[in-house]
Amino acid sequence: MARSAHGVSSILAIVRDKMGLTVIKLGGSLLTDKSKPYTMRKEKFREIARELKESLDEMIIVHGVGSYGHPPVKEYKLYRGYTGKENLLNLSKTQSIVFELRLEFVRALQEEGINAMIFLPSSQIVAEEMKIKKFCIEPIKRFLEMGMTPVLGGDIVADTQMGYSVCSGDVIAAYLASELNAEKLIFATDVEGIYTKDPKKDKNAKLLKEINLENMDELARLTGSAFTDVTSGMAGKIEAVRIYKDNLKDTEIVILSMLGEGNLRAYVKRMKDAKFTKIKIN
Ligand code: ADP
């Protein structure tokens, strides 16, 4: 027998009260090899999915597109926005290419028992000069409350000024965490957090336990040239948090690595050896 609408909503209210939502952004550098176009780290997918399943209850997964998204966006210059009808077939193809990554990863999530459900930002978001202007999140909220795990990734979305524009997974994750009052916002990538310099380029780089958004200049001074080396990658995450900072004050925000198994688990279980950088807002 179908449950009455009232019955369902009271069950959902109980579910909502009990759980702390985590929005986790899985970086493109984690799911793909960014140095090789169109290369997934397929062998890692099940391991990542298993760790997610074991570590988190209520979650929204946002994924980067890495070497599946950046090459076609660059090749077809899609970052410029709408320039004429002749580029629309390339936009169509790019979306399908990214979908291959999405689908492969979602299959790994399902194999580990995660009720993954794909949502497409291009069907839900309207941007204005690359900033989210409208985001219809009600379907995400409702399926989340029923126990589904929404999965979204970076996408190309309609833009009131540019026709279309790139919408990054980092921004989508920060937006959702702020709108849905998430308990945690986790950026999982291929390095253990924010270092004093890019750790791939400087082996003396030191992992920072915590950075304060209000305090970035001071931090740069203390650590010497600290943030001059931050590429748009790490800077993009900090910027995404900064946009929504007023609504993220009660959300714990961290950057960590999921390249090796166990780090997410260690962070969630508050183990001493967990490695991550916490982003404080004030
Ligand atoms: P993702 O695709 O996983 O979201 P990005 O590739 O955009 O992540 O950003 C992560 C990368 O940023 C790391 O692989 C690292 O090489 C680079 N990076 C640059 N500067 C820093 C820094 N100061 N601390 C940590 N990583 C940095």
Side-chain angles (χ1 to χ4, degrees), residues 25-32 34 63-67 70 169-170 187-201 205-208 225-238 255-256 277:
K25 153 80 196 310
L26 304 170
S29 55
L30 187 63
L31 300 181
T32 71
K34 279 189 173 176
H63 67 85
V65 295
S67 77
H70 301 168
D170 291 335
F187 293 98
T189 180
D190 66 341
V191 292
E192 282 166 340
I194 298 186
Y195 287 71
T196 49
K197 297 204 170 187
D198 185 343
K200 286 187 187 149
K201 293 185 188 149
K206 301 251 173 337
L207 180 65
L208 299 166
S225 58
F227 292 100
T228 52
D229 272 3
V230 177
T231 63
S232 64
M234 281 300 167
K237 293 176 209 329
I238 291 167
I255 300 181
L256 50 73
T277 300

mmCIF file of all heavy atoms in Angstrom, residues 25-32 34 63-67 70 169-170 187-201 205-208 225-238 255-256 277, ligand 1:
data_model
loop_
_atom_site.group_PDB
_atom_site.id
_atom_site.type_symbol
_atom_site.label_atom_id
_atom_site.label_comp_id
_atom_site.label_asym_id
_atom_site.label_seq_id
_atom_site.Cartn_x
_atom_site.Cartn_y
_atom_site.Cartn_z
ATOM 1 N N LYS A 25 33.600 16.413 -2.402
ATOM 2 C CA LYS A 25 34.020 16.674 -3.782
ATOM 3 C C LYS A 25 35.223 15.783 -4.067
ATOM 4 O O LYS A 25 36.248 15.871 -3.378
ATOM 5 C CB LYS A 25 34.380 18.156 -3.941
ATOM 6 C CG LYS A 25 35.386 18.475 -5.021
ATOM 7 C CD LYS A 25 34.802 18.528 -6.407
ATOM 8 C CE LYS A 25 35.844 18.455 -7.518
ATOM 9 N NZ LYS A 25 36.990 19.331 -7.462
ATOM 10 N N LEU A 26 35.081 14.902 -5.041
ATOM 11 C CA LEU A 26 36.192 14.032 -5.429
ATOM 12 C C LEU A 26 36.868 14.679 -6.625
ATOM 13 O O LEU A 26 36.260 14.837 -7.693
ATOM 14 C CB LEU A 26 35.662 12.637 -5.793
ATOM 15 C CG LEU A 26 34.831 11.952 -4.696
ATOM 16 C CD1 LEU A 26 34.160 10.707 -5.226
ATOM 17 C CD2 LEU A 26 35.705 11.617 -3.485
ATOM 18 N N GLY A 27 38.108 15.070 -6.435
ATOM 19 C CA GLY A 27 38.796 15.860 -7.460
ATOM 20 C C GLY A 27 39.056 15.087 -8.743
ATOM 21 O O GLY A 27 39.187 13.850 -8.745
ATOM 22 N N GLY A 28 39.168 15.842 -9.811
ATOM 23 C CA GLY A 28 39.523 15.251 -11.091
ATOM 24 C C GLY A 28 40.895 14.598 -11.038
ATOM 25 O O GLY A 28 41.156 13.607 -11.728
ATOM 26 N N SER A 29 41.759 15.118 -10.149
ATOM 27 C CA SER A 29 43.097 14.532 -10.072
ATOM 28 C C SER A 29 43.083 13.201 -9.318
ATOM 29 O O SER A 29 44.044 12.448 -9.372
ATOM 30 C CB SER A 29 44.083 15.507 -9.430
ATOM 31 O OG SER A 29 43.604 15.909 -8.193
ATOM 32 N N LEU A 30 41.979 12.940 -8.653
ATOM 33 C CA LEU A 30 41.827 11.668 -7.950
ATOM 34 C C LEU A 30 41.221 10.610 -8.893
ATOM 35 O O LEU A 30 41.657 9.466 -8.933
ATOM 36 C CB LEU A 30 40.874 11.924 -6.770
ATOM 37 C CG LEU A 30 40.632 10.850 -5.754
ATOM 38 C CD1 LEU A 30 41.914 10.522 -5.024
ATOM 39 C CD2 LEU A 30 39.568 11.325 -4.770
ATOM 40 N N LEU A 31 40.225 11.010 -9.652
ATOM 41 C CA LEU A 31 39.497 10.057 -10.498
ATOM 42 C C LEU A 31 40.144 9.848 -11.863
ATOM 43 O O LEU A 31 39.867 8.858 -12.542
ATOM 44 C CB LEU A 31 38.047 10.523 -10.704
ATOM 45 C CG LEU A 31 37.201 10.678 -9.428
ATOM 46 C CD1 LEU A 31 35.787 11.113 -9.777
ATOM 47 C CD2 LEU A 31 37.154 9.373 -8.634
ATOM 48 N N THR A 32 40.990 10.810 -12.262
ATOM 49 C CA THR A 32 41.652 10.679 -13.572
ATOM 50 C C THR A 32 43.133 10.995 -13.419
ATOM 51 O O THR A 32 43.549 11.583 -12.429
ATOM 52 C CB THR A 32 41.061 11.676 -14.605
ATOM 53 O OG1 THR A 32 41.478 13.016 -14.262
ATOM 54 C CG2 THR A 32 39.551 11.633 -14.666
ATOM 55 N N LYS A 34 45.523 13.405 -14.679
ATOM 56 C CA LYS A 34 45.419 14.671 -15.406
ATOM 57 C C LYS A 34 46.531 14.872 -16.427
ATOM 58 O O LYS A 34 46.418 15.712 -17.305
ATOM 59 C CB LYS A 34 45.420 15.848 -14.418
ATOM 60 C CG LYS A 34 44.060 16.103 -13.788
ATOM 61 C CD LYS A 34 44.109 17.403 -13.009
ATOM 62 C CE LYS A 34 42.752 17.806 -12.498
ATOM 63 N NZ LYS A 34 42.822 19.014 -11.663
ATOM 64 N N HIS A 63 31.845 15.320 -8.337
ATOM 65 C CA HIS A 63 33.144 14.886 -8.865
ATOM 66 C C HIS A 63 33.706 15.878 -9.881
ATOM 67 O O HIS A 63 32.965 16.550 -10.599
ATOM 68 C CB HIS A 63 33.043 13.481 -9.483
ATOM 69 C CG HIS A 63 32.203 13.429 -10.726
ATOM 70 N ND1 HIS A 63 32.710 13.718 -11.964
ATOM 71 C CD2 HIS A 63 30.903 13.145 -10.904
ATOM 72 C CE1 HIS A 63 31.749 13.607 -12.853
ATOM 73 N NE2 HIS A 63 30.628 13.269 -12.234
ATOM 74 N N GLY A 64 35.024 15.934 -9.912
ATOM 75 C CA GLY A 64 35.687 16.741 -10.926
ATOM 76 C C GLY A 64 35.726 15.943 -12.230
ATOM 77 O O GLY A 64 35.442 14.734 -12.246
ATOM 78 N N VAL A 65 36.102 16.597 -13.312
ATOM 79 C CA VAL A 65 36.094 15.913 -14.600
ATOM 80 C C VAL A 65 37.509 15.660 -15.128
ATOM 81 O O VAL A 65 37.688 14.902 -16.078
ATOM 82 C CB VAL A 65 35.247 16.685 -15.643
ATOM 83 C CG1 VAL A 65 33.788 16.693 -15.211
ATOM 84 C CG2 VAL A 65 35.755 18.111 -15.823
ATOM 85 N N GLY A 66 38.481 16.292 -14.500
ATOM 86 C CA GLY A 66 39.894 16.035 -14.781
ATOM 87 C C GLY A 66 40.229 15.880 -16.251
ATOM 88 O O GLY A 66 39.850 16.716 -17.082
ATOM 89 N N SER A 67 40.903 14.783 -16.581
ATOM 90 C CA SER A 67 41.384 14.623 -17.956
ATOM 91 C C SER A 67 40.280 14.189 -18.916
ATOM 92 O O SER A 67 40.533 13.939 -20.085
ATOM 93 C CB SER A 67 42.576 13.669 -17.999
ATOM 94 O OG SER A 67 42.164 12.340 -17.878
ATOM 95 N N HIS A 70 38.756 18.664 -19.099
ATOM 96 C CA HIS A 70 39.624 19.787 -19.476
ATOM 97 C C HIS A 70 40.106 19.728 -20.937
ATOM 98 O O HIS A 70 40.057 20.752 -21.624
ATOM 99 C CB HIS A 70 40.798 19.912 -18.492
ATOM 100 C CG HIS A 70 40.330 20.134 -17.077
ATOM 101 N ND1 HIS A 70 41.141 20.044 -15.981
ATOM 102 C CD2 HIS A 70 39.099 20.437 -16.585
ATOM 103 C CE1 HIS A 70 40.437 20.273 -14.879
ATOM 104 N NE2 HIS A 70 39.196 20.504 -15.226
ATOM 105 N N GLY A 169 33.139 21.701 -10.239
ATOM 106 C CA GLY A 169 32.682 20.850 -9.148
ATOM 107 C C GLY A 169 32.940 21.492 -7.795
ATOM 108 O O GLY A 169 32.135 21.337 -6.868
ATOM 109 N N ASP A 170 34.033 22.245 -7.665
ATOM 110 C CA ASP A 170 34.344 22.897 -6.386
ATOM 111 C C ASP A 170 33.235 23.874 -6.002
ATOM 112 O O ASP A 170 32.796 23.912 -4.843
ATOM 113 C CB ASP A 170 35.667 23.674 -6.487
ATOM 114 C CG ASP A 170 36.869 22.747 -6.611
ATOM 115 O OD1 ASP A 170 36.775 21.600 -6.156
ATOM 116 O OD2 ASP A 170 37.896 23.177 -7.164
ATOM 117 N N PHE A 187 36.970 18.264 0.439
ATOM 118 C CA PHE A 187 37.556 18.254 -0.900
ATOM 119 C C PHE A 187 38.612 17.151 -0.904
ATOM 120 O O PHE A 187 39.658 17.294 -0.258
ATOM 121 C CB PHE A 187 38.223 19.596 -1.215
ATOM 122 C CG PHE A 187 37.247 20.741 -1.333
ATOM 123 C CD1 PHE A 187 37.023 21.595 -0.258
ATOM 124 C CD2 PHE A 187 36.548 20.960 -2.517
ATOM 125 C CE1 PHE A 187 36.129 22.657 -0.362
ATOM 126 C CE2 PHE A 187 35.651 22.019 -2.626
ATOM 127 C CZ PHE A 187 35.432 22.863 -1.544
ATOM 128 N N ALA A 188 38.318 16.045 -1.580
ATOM 129 C CA ALA A 188 39.289 14.952 -1.649
ATOM 130 C C ALA A 188 40.055 15.086 -2.959
ATOM 131 O O ALA A 188 39.468 15.221 -4.029
ATOM 132 C CB ALA A 188 38.575 13.610 -1.589
ATOM 133 N N THR A 189 41.377 15.040 -2.843
ATOM 134 C CA THR A 189 42.190 15.232 -4.043
ATOM 135 C C THR A 189 43.387 14.289 -4.004
ATOM 136 O O THR A 189 43.331 13.256 -3.322
ATOM 137 C CB THR A 189 42.571 16.746 -4.169
ATOM 138 O OG1 THR A 189 43.352 16.941 -5.314
ATOM 139 C CG2 THR A 189 43.299 17.272 -2.941
ATOM 140 N N ASP A 190 44.460 14.610 -4.731
ATOM 141 C CA ASP A 190 45.601 13.682 -4.783
ATOM 142 C C ASP A 190 46.759 14.131 -3.891
ATOM 143 O O ASP A 190 47.830 13.547 -3.938
ATOM 144 C CB ASP A 190 46.079 13.499 -6.242
ATOM 145 C CG ASP A 190 46.662 14.773 -6.832
ATOM 146 O OD1 ASP A 190 46.396 15.863 -6.296
ATOM 147 O OD2 ASP A 190 47.395 14.666 -7.832
ATOM 148 N N VAL A 191 46.578 15.219 -3.138
ATOM 149 C CA VAL A 191 47.593 15.634 -2.152
ATOM 150 C C VAL A 191 46.896 15.795 -0.798
ATOM 151 O O VAL A 191 45.677 15.949 -0.734
ATOM 152 C CB VAL A 191 48.292 16.965 -2.557
ATOM 153 C CG1 VAL A 191 49.154 16.778 -3.796
ATOM 154 C CG2 VAL A 191 47.273 18.070 -2.784
ATOM 155 N N GLU A 192 47.691 15.758 0.262
ATOM 156 C CA GLU A 192 47.085 15.629 1.592
ATOM 157 C C GLU A 192 46.475 16.903 2.162
ATOM 158 O O GLU A 192 45.980 16.911 3.290
ATOM 159 C CB GLU A 192 48.107 15.019 2.553
ATOM 160 C CG GLU A 192 48.194 13.510 2.304
ATOM 161 C CD GLU A 192 49.387 12.837 2.933
ATOM 162 O OE1 GLU A 192 50.366 13.548 3.246
ATOM 163 O OE2 GLU A 192 49.330 11.617 3.105
ATOM 164 N N GLY A 193 46.500 17.953 1.399
ATOM 165 C CA GLY A 193 45.919 19.210 1.858
ATOM 166 C C GLY A 193 46.659 20.357 1.208
ATOM 167 O O GLY A 193 47.270 20.179 0.141
ATOM 168 N N ILE A 194 46.620 21.504 1.861
ATOM 169 C CA ILE A 194 47.331 22.668 1.333
ATOM 170 C C ILE A 194 48.715 22.729 1.972
ATOM 171 O O ILE A 194 48.852 22.631 3.196
ATOM 172 C CB ILE A 194 46.541 23.956 1.604
ATOM 173 C CG1 ILE A 194 45.193 23.866 0.867
ATOM 174 C CG2 ILE A 194 47.331 25.189 1.166
ATOM 175 C CD1 ILE A 194 44.366 25.111 0.911
ATOM 176 N N TYR A 195 49.693 22.853 1.139
ATOM 177 C CA TYR A 195 51.081 22.918 1.597
ATOM 178 C C TYR A 195 51.602 24.349 1.445
ATOM 179 O O TYR A 195 50.985 25.184 0.781
ATOM 180 C CB TYR A 195 51.955 21.983 0.746
ATOM 181 C CG TYR A 195 51.766 20.511 1.010
ATOM 182 C CD1 TYR A 195 50.593 19.865 0.617
ATOM 183 C CD2 TYR A 195 52.746 19.762 1.645
ATOM 184 C CE1 TYR A 195 50.415 18.505 0.860
ATOM 185 C CE2 TYR A 195 52.577 18.399 1.876
ATOM 186 C CZ TYR A 195 51.408 17.782 1.485
ATOM 187 O OH TYR A 195 51.244 16.450 1.716
ATOM 188 N N THR A 196 52.765 24.571 2.015
ATOM 189 C CA THR A 196 53.388 25.891 1.868
ATOM 190 C C THR A 196 53.779 26.156 0.417
ATOM 191 O O THR A 196 53.903 27.300 0.003
ATOM 192 C CB THR A 196 54.638 25.991 2.761
ATOM 193 O OG1 THR A 196 55.433 24.830 2.526
ATOM 194 C CG2 THR A 196 54.259 26.083 4.231
ATOM 195 N N LYS A 197 53.989 25.079 -0.352
ATOM 196 C CA LYS A 197 54.239 25.194 -1.797
ATOM 197 C C LYS A 197 53.640 23.967 -2.462
ATOM 198 O O LYS A 197 53.312 22.994 -1.772
ATOM 199 C CB LYS A 197 55.745 25.224 -2.077
ATOM 200 C CG LYS A 197 56.418 26.417 -1.482
ATOM 201 C CD LYS A 197 57.693 26.732 -2.205
ATOM 202 C CE LYS A 197 58.175 28.089 -1.708
ATOM 203 N NZ LYS A 197 59.286 28.595 -2.427
ATOM 204 N N ASP A 198 53.530 23.979 -3.769
ATOM 205 C CA ASP A 198 53.015 22.798 -4.460
ATOM 206 C C ASP A 198 53.905 21.596 -4.132
ATOM 207 O O ASP A 198 55.090 21.570 -4.505
ATOM 208 C CB ASP A 198 53.001 23.059 -5.980
ATOM 209 C CG ASP A 198 52.349 21.902 -6.739
ATOM 210 O OD1 ASP A 198 52.214 20.806 -6.166
ATOM 211 O OD2 ASP A 198 51.983 22.112 -7.907
ATOM 212 N N PRO A 199 53.372 20.590 -3.428
ATOM 213 C CA PRO A 199 54.223 19.462 -2.996
ATOM 214 C C PRO A 199 54.758 18.639 -4.152
ATOM 215 O O PRO A 199 55.714 17.891 -3.994
ATOM 216 C CB PRO A 199 53.266 18.631 -2.120
ATOM 217 C CG PRO A 199 51.899 19.017 -2.555
ATOM 218 C CD PRO A 199 51.971 20.434 -3.011
ATOM 219 N N LYS A 200 54.145 18.785 -5.333
ATOM 220 C CA LYS A 200 54.647 18.029 -6.486
ATOM 221 C C LYS A 200 55.893 18.678 -7.070
ATOM 222 O O LYS A 200 56.640 18.058 -7.799
ATOM 223 C CB LYS A 200 53.572 17.935 -7.558
ATOM 224 C CG LYS A 200 52.472 16.960 -7.169
ATOM 225 C CD LYS A 200 51.522 16.780 -8.318
ATOM 226 C CE LYS A 200 50.332 15.945 -7.889
ATOM 227 N NZ LYS A 200 49.136 16.336 -8.623
ATOM 228 N N LYS A 201 56.060 19.950 -6.728
ATOM 229 C CA LYS A 201 57.211 20.662 -7.288
ATOM 230 C C LYS A 201 58.309 20.888 -6.259
ATOM 231 O O LYS A 201 59.438 21.166 -6.607
ATOM 232 C CB LYS A 201 56.770 22.028 -7.831
ATOM 233 C CG LYS A 201 55.868 21.902 -9.040
ATOM 234 C CD LYS A 201 55.574 23.279 -9.606
ATOM 235 C CE LYS A 201 54.527 23.221 -10.690
ATOM 236 N NZ LYS A 201 53.734 24.422 -10.750
ATOM 237 N N ALA A 205 58.050 21.201 0.827
ATOM 238 C CA ALA A 205 56.767 21.835 1.155
ATOM 239 C C ALA A 205 56.179 21.205 2.416
ATOM 240 O O ALA A 205 56.298 20.001 2.626
ATOM 241 C CB ALA A 205 55.805 21.656 -0.013
ATOM 242 N N LYS A 206 55.591 22.043 3.255
ATOM 243 C CA LYS A 206 55.028 21.538 4.528
ATOM 244 C C LYS A 206 53.513 21.597 4.470
ATOM 245 O O LYS A 206 52.928 22.587 4.022
ATOM 246 C CB LYS A 206 55.492 22.435 5.687
ATOM 247 C CG LYS A 206 56.985 22.525 5.863
ATOM 248 C CD LYS A 206 57.409 21.782 7.116
ATOM 249 C CE LYS A 206 58.896 21.654 7.306
ATOM 250 N NZ LYS A 206 59.762 21.756 6.153
ATOM 251 N N LEU A 207 52.896 20.528 4.995
ATOM 252 C CA LEU A 207 51.432 20.473 5.043
ATOM 253 C C LEU A 207 50.925 21.424 6.128
ATOM 254 O O LEU A 207 51.423 21.416 7.251
ATOM 255 C CB LEU A 207 50.980 19.040 5.350
ATOM 256 C CG LEU A 207 49.476 18.811 5.443
ATOM 257 C CD1 LEU A 207 48.792 19.051 4.093
ATOM 258 C CD2 LEU A 207 49.178 17.386 5.906
ATOM 259 N N LEU A 208 49.965 22.246 5.767
ATOM 260 C CA LEU A 208 49.383 23.173 6.759
ATOM 261 C C LEU A 208 48.178 22.510 7.406
ATOM 262 O O LEU A 208 47.293 22.017 6.699
ATOM 263 C CB LEU A 208 48.961 24.472 6.063
ATOM 264 C CG LEU A 208 50.102 25.243 5.386
ATOM 265 C CD1 LEU A 208 49.559 26.309 4.444
ATOM 266 C CD2 LEU A 208 51.010 25.875 6.439
ATOM 267 N N SER A 225 56.928 32.525 0.688
ATOM 268 C CA SER A 225 56.204 32.694 -0.571
ATOM 269 C C SER A 225 54.953 31.812 -0.648
ATOM 270 O O SER A 225 54.376 31.646 -1.709
ATOM 271 C CB SER A 225 57.132 32.358 -1.729
ATOM 272 O OG SER A 225 57.600 31.043 -1.567
ATOM 273 N N ALA A 226 54.618 31.191 0.495
ATOM 274 C CA ALA A 226 53.516 30.222 0.568
ATOM 275 C C ALA A 226 52.576 30.119 -0.630
ATOM 276 O O ALA A 226 52.713 29.226 -1.437
ATOM 277 C CB ALA A 226 52.713 30.487 1.820
ATOM 278 N N PHE A 227 51.641 31.063 -0.700
ATOM 279 C CA PHE A 227 50.561 30.826 -1.637
ATOM 280 C C PHE A 227 50.823 31.299 -3.053
ATOM 281 O O PHE A 227 49.972 31.190 -3.904
ATOM 282 C CB PHE A 227 49.265 31.401 -1.080
ATOM 283 C CG PHE A 227 48.838 30.622 0.117
ATOM 284 C CD1 PHE A 227 49.079 31.087 1.387
ATOM 285 C CD2 PHE A 227 48.260 29.373 -0.042
ATOM 286 C CE1 PHE A 227 48.738 30.324 2.476
ATOM 287 C CE2 PHE A 227 47.917 28.606 1.046
ATOM 288 C CZ PHE A 227 48.148 29.086 2.323
ATOM 289 N N THR A 228 52.037 31.796 -3.281
ATOM 290 C CA THR A 228 52.315 32.215 -4.651
ATOM 291 C C THR A 228 52.306 31.012 -5.581
ATOM 292 O O THR A 228 52.066 31.149 -6.764
ATOM 293 C CB THR A 228 53.689 32.917 -4.741
ATOM 294 O OG1 THR A 228 54.642 32.056 -4.136
ATOM 295 C CG2 THR A 228 53.669 34.254 -4.030
ATOM 296 N N ASP A 229 52.552 29.815 -5.034
ATOM 297 C CA ASP A 229 52.609 28.625 -5.873
ATOM 298 C C ASP A 229 51.258 27.939 -6.058
ATOM 299 O O ASP A 229 51.154 26.979 -6.796
ATOM 300 C CB ASP A 229 53.572 27.587 -5.257
ATOM 301 C CG ASP A 229 54.989 27.825 -5.718
ATOM 302 O OD1 ASP A 229 55.191 28.806 -6.445
ATOM 303 O OD2 ASP A 229 55.860 27.042 -5.342
ATOM 304 N N VAL A 230 50.266 28.398 -5.352
ATOM 305 C CA VAL A 230 48.980 27.711 -5.441
ATOM 306 C C VAL A 230 48.400 27.922 -6.840
ATOM 307 O O VAL A 230 48.214 29.035 -7.291
ATOM 308 C CB VAL A 230 48.007 28.238 -4.367
ATOM 309 C CG1 VAL A 230 46.648 27.582 -4.500
ATOM 310 C CG2 VAL A 230 48.579 27.974 -2.988
ATOM 311 N N THR A 231 48.154 26.803 -7.502
ATOM 312 C CA THR A 231 47.594 26.895 -8.857
ATOM 313 C C THR A 231 46.103 27.151 -8.749
ATOM 314 O O THR A 231 45.544 27.161 -7.660
ATOM 315 C CB THR A 231 47.784 25.571 -9.608
ATOM 316 O OG1 THR A 231 47.046 24.580 -8.901
ATOM 317 C CG2 THR A 231 49.221 25.188 -9.723
ATOM 318 N N SER A 232 45.482 27.293 -9.887
ATOM 319 C CA SER A 232 44.040 27.533 -9.852
ATOM 320 C C SER A 232 43.343 26.367 -9.154
ATOM 321 O O SER A 232 42.243 26.499 -8.660
ATOM 322 C CB SER A 232 43.505 27.729 -11.253
ATOM 323 O OG SER A 232 43.696 26.541 -11.976
ATOM 324 N N GLY A 233 43.991 25.205 -9.102
ATOM 325 C CA GLY A 233 43.420 24.042 -8.412
ATOM 326 C C GLY A 233 43.080 24.340 -6.969
ATOM 327 O O GLY A 233 41.911 24.436 -6.602
ATOM 328 N N MET A 234 44.105 24.558 -6.134
ATOM 329 C CA MET A 234 43.863 24.823 -4.719
ATOM 330 C C MET A 234 43.191 26.181 -4.538
ATOM 331 O O MET A 234 42.310 26.339 -3.705
ATOM 332 C CB MET A 234 45.182 24.785 -3.942
ATOM 333 C CG MET A 234 45.656 23.389 -3.654
ATOM 334 S SD MET A 234 44.450 22.490 -2.665
ATOM 335 C CE MET A 234 45.084 20.838 -2.825
ATOM 336 N N ALA A 235 43.619 27.145 -5.326
ATOM 337 C CA ALA A 235 43.022 28.477 -5.220
ATOM 338 C C ALA A 235 41.526 28.394 -5.552
ATOM 339 O O ALA A 235 40.711 29.081 -4.940
ATOM 340 C CB ALA A 235 43.724 29.440 -6.158
ATOM 341 N N GLY A 236 41.183 27.529 -6.508
ATOM 342 C CA GLY A 236 39.772 27.365 -6.901
ATOM 343 C C GLY A 236 38.918 26.870 -5.742
ATOM 344 O O GLY A 236 37.778 27.306 -5.566
ATOM 345 N N LYS A 237 39.473 25.972 -4.955
ATOM 346 C CA LYS A 237 38.711 25.449 -3.808
ATOM 347 C C LYS A 237 38.513 26.548 -2.761
ATOM 348 O O LYS A 237 37.428 26.723 -2.208
ATOM 349 C CB LYS A 237 39.441 24.253 -3.186
ATOM 350 C CG LYS A 237 39.476 23.067 -4.133
ATOM 351 C CD LYS A 237 40.264 21.923 -3.583
ATOM 352 C CE LYS A 237 40.887 21.073 -4.683
ATOM 353 N NZ LYS A 237 40.190 20.974 -5.962
ATOM 354 N N ILE A 238 39.591 27.283 -2.500
ATOM 355 C CA ILE A 238 39.513 28.356 -1.506
ATOM 356 C C ILE A 238 38.518 29.422 -1.981
ATOM 357 O O ILE A 238 37.687 29.912 -1.216
ATOM 358 C CB ILE A 238 40.913 28.965 -1.260
ATOM 359 C CG1 ILE A 238 41.779 27.921 -0.547
ATOM 360 C CG2 ILE A 238 40.831 30.247 -0.437
ATOM 361 C CD1 ILE A 238 43.241 28.240 -0.505
ATOM 362 N N ILE A 255 40.440 19.718 3.290
ATOM 363 C CA ILE A 255 41.015 19.198 2.051
ATOM 364 C C ILE A 255 41.889 18.017 2.449
ATOM 365 O O ILE A 255 42.683 18.129 3.395
ATOM 366 C CB ILE A 255 41.881 20.259 1.336
ATOM 367 C CG1 ILE A 255 41.019 21.483 0.997
ATOM 368 C CG2 ILE A 255 42.515 19.682 0.072
ATOM 369 C CD1 ILE A 255 41.763 22.600 0.273
ATOM 370 N N LEU A 256 41.706 16.876 1.791
ATOM 371 C CA LEU A 256 42.514 15.694 2.127
ATOM 372 C C LEU A 256 42.744 14.861 0.866
ATOM 373 O O LEU A 256 42.139 15.117 -0.180
ATOM 374 C CB LEU A 256 41.853 14.871 3.241
ATOM 375 C CG LEU A 256 40.373 14.479 3.136
ATOM 376 C CD1 LEU A 256 40.136 13.399 2.117
ATOM 377 C CD2 LEU A 256 39.848 14.023 4.488
ATOM 378 N N THR A 277 44.039 19.421 5.663
ATOM 379 C CA THR A 277 44.078 20.845 6.015
ATOM 380 C C THR A 277 42.657 21.298 6.281
ATOM 381 O O THR A 277 41.758 21.044 5.467
ATOM 382 C CB THR A 277 44.654 21.701 4.864
ATOM 383 O OG1 THR A 277 45.977 21.262 4.583
ATOM 384 C CG2 THR A 277 44.680 23.180 5.244
HETATM 385 P P1 ADP B 1 41.361 18.328 -8.116
HETATM 386 O O1 ADP B 1 41.391 18.111 -9.595
HETATM 387 O O2 ADP B 1 41.635 17.065 -7.368
HETATM 388 O O3 ADP B 1 40.200 19.051 -7.622
HETATM 389 P P2 ADP B 1 43.482 20.241 -8.543
HETATM 390 O O4 ADP B 1 44.352 19.500 -9.520
HETATM 391 O O5 ADP B 1 42.611 21.290 -9.095
HETATM 392 O O6 ADP B 1 42.611 19.218 -7.713
HETATM 393 O O7 ADP B 1 44.361 20.814 -7.351
HETATM 394 C C1 ADP B 1 45.176 19.936 -6.651
HETATM 395 C C2 ADP B 1 46.603 20.145 -7.071
HETATM 396 O O8 ADP B 1 47.020 21.453 -6.672
HETATM 397 C C3 ADP B 1 47.596 19.202 -6.448
HETATM 398 O O9 ADP B 1 47.729 18.038 -7.209
HETATM 399 C C4 ADP B 1 48.890 20.020 -6.374
HETATM 400 O O10 ADP B 1 49.831 19.599 -7.328
HETATM 401 C C5 ADP B 1 48.442 21.440 -6.730
HETATM 402 N N1 ADP B 1 48.921 22.472 -5.789
HETATM 403 C C6 ADP B 1 49.418 23.675 -6.164
HETATM 404 N N2 ADP B 1 49.780 24.393 -5.097
HETATM 405 C C7 ADP B 1 49.537 23.648 -4.015
HETATM 406 C C8 ADP B 1 49.721 23.870 -2.611
HETATM 407 N N3 ADP B 1 50.231 25.001 -2.120
HETATM 408 N N4 ADP B 1 49.334 22.869 -1.774
HETATM 409 C C9 ADP B 1 48.814 21.721 -2.254
HETATM 410 N N5 ADP B 1 48.635 21.463 -3.566
HETATM 411 C C10 ADP B 1 48.977 22.417 -4.454
#
